[in-house]
Amino acid sequence: MAHDPLPANLAHLTLDAVMAAAREQRLPPVHLWHPPHRGHSAMEIRSDGSWWHEGGKIERPALVRLFSSILRREDDGRFVLVTPVEMMDIDVEDTPFLAVELKAEGDVLAFRLNTGDAVVAGPDHPIRVEDRSGEPHPVLLVRDGLEARIGRASFYELAEMALTNGSSPPGVWSRGTFFPLMEAA
């Protein structure tokens, strides 16, 4: 079920290649697995996107990618790692993913996540901006209640696009859907 991660710089890829990578991503069917709950995994995802186990940082990107593929958000808001035989809680400080790079072309906004996955913003992957203590907190829906915080550099790119296109409220378009970046005054 594994797939190759996107390269660390989307500038060298065409938007069609990024969109194809997003379509080709295959994930385990975690939504079909309902094993008994077995406790806590002793894992956490910190707000900087790093993964930790028993106090030690997980340094292997392939291992992070594997764990991220079996991550699920429960109806009660908990995050769990799930396999066909067990389900373990995992602590998430903010969002489980980070959108670390943006590629914009025409009416399409594609993001590379810190796991190497691609997500194309649109009706199935909306962008929303929350206000957290007077600061914007932009997020992108990745899948099934799992979100990526949009990194500062990418958010600044989105803000520049919103200011340039003159929309009111300021916002951006992707795949025919408008995403406001702040509430109307």
Side-chain angles (χ1 to χ4, degrees):
M1 301 245 177
H3 57 280
D4 292 331
L6 288 174
N9 187 339
L10 294 183
H12 302 295
L13 294 178
T14 67
L15 190 58
D16 287 340
V18 174
M19 291 176 65
R23 283 190 305 272
E24 292 170 7
Q25 293 170 171
R26 303 284 187 261
L27 296 168
V30 297
H31 63 286
L32 299 176
W33 299 339
H34 301 286
H37 184 262
R38 306 260 172 136
H40 198 281
S41 66
M43 293 177 68
E44 66 178 302
I45 305 171
R46 296 191 178 169
S47 61
D48 66 359
S50 62
W51 287 61
W52 294 72
H53 181 253
E54 295 182 346
K57 185 175 181 183
I58 300 173
E59 300 286 351
R60 294 181 53 205
L63 197 52
V64 169
R65 288 180 54 74
L66 172 66
F67 286 131
S68 73
S69 74
I70 60 169
L71 184 64
R72 181 171 79 194
R73 186 147 198 197
E74 298 294 274
D75 291 339
D76 64 6
R78 285 181 308 133
F79 294 93
V80 295
L81 297 172
V82 63
T83 70
V85 297
E86 69 181 344
M87 177 171 53
M88 306 288 280
D89 291 323
I90 180 172
D91 296 327
V92 178
E93 283 186 351
D94 186 9
T95 60
F97 303 106
L98 294 177
V100 295
E101 188 177 2
L102 168 66
K103 182 158 184 93
E105 197 172 294
D107 180 25
V108 179
L109 302 172
F111 294 87
R112 181 177 57 83
L113 303 183
N114 60 320
T115 56
D117 294 315
V119 178
V120 178
D124 296 332
H125 302 283
I127 297 169
R128 67 182 169 74
V129 180
E130 300 174 353
D131 183 326
R132 290 209 179 157
S133 304
E135 294 289 324
H137 186 265
V139 295
L140 170 70
L141 179 63
V142 174
R143 64 178 186 268
D144 303 322
L146 298 175
E147 296 176 318
R149 181 171 40 85
I150 298 172
R152 185 179 305 266
S154 295
F155 183 63
Y156 285 164
E157 287 182 63
L158 293 174
E160 178 67 28
M161 287 179 222
L163 293 173
T164 302
N165 72 24
S167 59
S168 182
V172 294
W173 289 87
S174 186
R175 303 195 69 183
T177 303
F178 180 74
F179 302 107
L181 299 184
M182 62 178 59
E183 294 181 11

